[in-house]
Amino acid sequence: MTEVTLDGFDPFSAEIQQDPHPYYARMRDEEPVFQVGDGAFFVVTRYDDVLEALRRPDVFSNEFGGPGTPGGGYAGGDTELADIVSQGYPPVSTLLTADPPAHTRYRKLVGRAFTPRRVNALVPFIRDLADELVDGFEGDGRCEIVTQFAVPLPVRMIAHALGVPTDRQADFKRWSDASIAAIGAMLTREQMLESARGVVEFQLYFAAQLEDRRINPRDDMLTDIVQARIENPEEGEDTTPLSIPEMLSILQQLLVAGNETSTKLITETCRMFVENPEATARARADLSLVPNVVEEALRLATPTQGMFRVVKSDTTLGGVDIPKGAMCVIMFASANRDAAGFPEPDAFVPERANAKDHLAFGKGIHYCVGASLARAEAVVAVEKILTRLPDLRFGDGNDFAYEPSFILRGLKQLHLEFTPAH
Ligand code: HEM
């Protein structure tokens, strides 16, 4: 691994984001709860410390700001932006950016849309979709896997799960991109207006759909969300059904949390296959390994590299004092390569016995709501890649550049060549 220094470590440096793992490895060894500069900003890198922070949500809070606000939460003074935002619904902090007791209510109400029955019912659609996408490029013997497979698979799957008709799917992708842009990247004013327009369009479309499901219930996820009620409440528990702004916030989180993460997982898995031909041949020879391959790929790729936590009271983690008000990043990607939990942590081992102990979906109360759906989708994707794109190798034109992000890690593009199976 490259030799690096932690002096002046800047998590937002584009260069470090290309390959942060040597930095995390050094932090785990030397300063596992790493203070960035001398500010109130800490990076938590060891498996045990990450787990401890995830298990103490009363101190390590998720109330770090509402993603997906039209205009990125900024409307002050800009009348054009304020005008666009006023046509939509007010932002609400739900799941990812809420703490108990509000969070508990959201989880109970949303859980109904992600039952094993719902997820299993989507699998035949995912299989057909994966086949259709591979049909589109198989005969070429080459593809750019991000645009031709890893983006459309999750986007079209979620669109289908939410009942978006085929002729609105391009809009759906635009709304998803607008929601992601709204998370708070540095946007120009024009991009901010564009993102706000997309989010408002998304809100108006789904508000009408939710209203329709209220009157005409169907056997689908939107109806699950509209009809969700708290059953057997405990004394004093808030049993209010979800309001339209709350449902819209949740739907938006499904897009933001579910699309890019799955895209990045599938792409990175392909890179691992090419770089580890022997291990990949073992998985191809025994497809019963596929679910474990997905876990191992989640461990190594960890598309959501880390997540923010705001510290609610003075505390200590890994022997380091952290003051109230400090911001922490719980670095799942680093925990997943901690040799204390995973021997030979950087190696891709399809048979790894404890691959499933990874923290790529988090742990505790914010554990990924879509984990079973993401797993089902990744299993189908990996099966198709192994069986339909054998002899996978890198094509021309790869620069292996990753998206510039501290939180979401994924290749911008990946050109592959293969010997068509048919
Ligand atoms: C490979 C794919 C995915 C990865 C790596 C991933 C990762 C994560 C992680 C690490 C968290 C926990 C964040 C925290 O602790 O603050 C999370 C939460 C969440 N994920 Fe996923 N996710 C994936 C797919 C999905 C999908 C497909 C959906 C929905 C369709 C989804 C919806 C959510 C939501 C709504 C939350 C917030 C849950 C809460 O705060 O209670 N994710 N995800």
Side-chain angles (χ1 to χ4, degrees):
M1 204 177 265
T2 336
E3 203 45 39
V4 296
T5 167
L6 297 179
D7 289 345
F9 171 81
D10 173 8
F12 300 100
S13 139
E15 203 186 319
I16 290 177
Q17 286 170 0
Q18 290 308 301
D19 186 12
H21 287 293
Y23 296 88
Y24 299 149
R26 188 129 200 189
M27 285 178 197
R28 286 194 301 273
D29 281 349
E30 293 173 7
E31 290 180 69
V33 177
F34 181 83
Q35 183 173 12
V36 179
D38 51 12
F41 186 38
F42 296 81
V43 184
V44 182
T45 59
R46 275 191 193 160
Y47 190 91
D48 287 348
D49 294 337
V50 166
L51 208 53
E52 185 184 333
L54 293 172
R55 289 188 167 143
R56 291 168 59 199
D58 50 327
V59 176
F60 295 93
S61 153
N62 272 49
E63 285 184 339
F64 50 75
T69 309
Y74 166 82
D78 189 322
T79 48
E80 193 177 351
L81 187 57
D83 187 46
I84 297 171
V85 171
S86 71
Q87 294 165 34
Y89 288 79
V92 204
S93 266
T94 55
L95 297 169
L96 187 62
T97 52
D99 281 347
H103 177 264
T104 319
R105 171 173 160 258
Y106 293 128
R107 278 302 283 235
K108 283 191 180 174
L109 291 167
V110 172
R112 203 178 143 150
F114 287 90
T115 55
R117 184 179 81 88
R118 263 294 161 249
V119 173
N120 289 339
L122 285 169
V123 170
F125 175 85
I126 305 172
R127 281 191 196 290
D128 289 349
L129 174 57
D131 272 325
E132 182 193 324
L133 293 170
V134 175
D135 288 345
F137 58 75
E138 187 187 33
D140 303 338
R142 66 178 64 217
C143 68
E144 194 291 288
I145 201 80
V146 177
T147 45
Q148 293 186 277
F149 189 74
V151 166
L153 189 71
V155 172
R156 287 173 60 182
M157 179 196 73
I158 296 191
H160 172 78
L162 297 177
V164 178
T166 320
D167 62 347
R168 296 305 299 268
Q169 296 210 348
D171 291 328
F172 184 78
K173 169 78 177 115
R174 200 163 42 77
W175 300 335
S176 170
D177 291 346
S179 300
I180 288 161
I183 288 178
M186 300 296 282
L187 300 182
T188 63
R189 180 167 177 274
E190 216 22 73
Q191 287 168 325
M192 205 178 306
L193 293 177
E194 198 50 43
S195 155
R197 279 188 207 103
V199 171
V200 169
E201 234 183 84
F202 159 85
Q203 290 183 329
L204 297 180
Y205 174 83
F206 275 103
Q209 293 299 312
L210 291 164
E211 203 45 59
D212 173 65
R213 296 304 195 282
R214 209 189 291 280
I215 302 161
N216 308 303
R218 291 192 213 164
D219 186 15
D220 69 3
M221 267 192 186
L222 286 189
T223 308
D224 292 340
I225 292 174
V226 167
Q227 292 186 337
R229 298 290 180 274
I230 303 276
E231 280 153 23
N232 309 318
E234 285 168 27
E235 205 179 316
E237 192 174 350
D238 181 357
T239 57
T240 321
L242 294 169
S243 66
I244 292 281
E246 286 175 326
M247 289 190 246
L248 292 173
S249 161
I250 289 167
L251 290 178
Q252 206 178 350
Q253 280 194 25
L254 301 185
L255 302 198
V256 172
N259 281 340
E260 294 238 340
T261 44
S262 299
T263 296
K264 289 170 165 55
L265 174 66
I266 295 167
T267 309
E268 195 64 20
T269 305
C270 289
R271 179 176 188 169
M272 283 176 220
F273 284 165
V274 177
E275 289 179 340
N276 297 277
E278 282 171 23
T280 306
R282 295 201 299 277
R284 184 175 294 120
D286 177 4
L287 291 179
S288 71
L289 282 174
V290 168
N292 208 56
V293 166
V294 167
E295 301 305 325
E296 179 70 341
L298 277 160
R299 183 184 73 80
L300 284 169
T302 316
T304 306
Q305 296 264 287
M307 199 43 85
F308 295 101
R309 294 293 189 268
V310 183
V311 177
K312 287 275 164 164
S313 54
D314 289 351
T315 192
T316 305
L317 185 67
V320 173
D321 291 333
I322 306 180
K324 177 178 175 182
M327 187 70 101
C328 288
V329 173
I330 306 300
M331 202 48 86
F332 310 121
S334 173
N336 285 345
R337 291 184 186 222
D338 187 337
F342 305 100
E344 285 195 70
D346 298 314
F348 171 64
V349 184
E351 304 83 356
R352 190 182 289 276
N354 71 339
K356 224 178 170 176
D357 291 343
H358 67 73
L359 300 175
F361 290 125
K363 195 70 138 199
I365 64 166
H366 291 279
Y367 182 76
C368 178
V369 122
S372 53
L373 189 55
R375 284 190 161 113
E377 178 187 44
V379 163
V380 169
V382 165
E383 266 172 19
K384 295 295 168 200
I385 292 162
L386 287 175
T387 54
R388 296 196 59 187
L389 312 178
D391 187 23
L392 210 55
R393 47 200 187 267
F394 292 134
D396 294 333
N398 286 314
D399 57 6
F400 300 105
Y402 283 81
E403 298 281 359
S405 168
F406 173 40
I407 296 297
L408 283 178
R409 179 168 168 78
L411 286 165
K412 289 183 179 178
Q413 54 167 11
L414 183 63
H415 296 278
L416 296 170
E417 290 179 1
F418 48 87
T419 310
H422 301 121

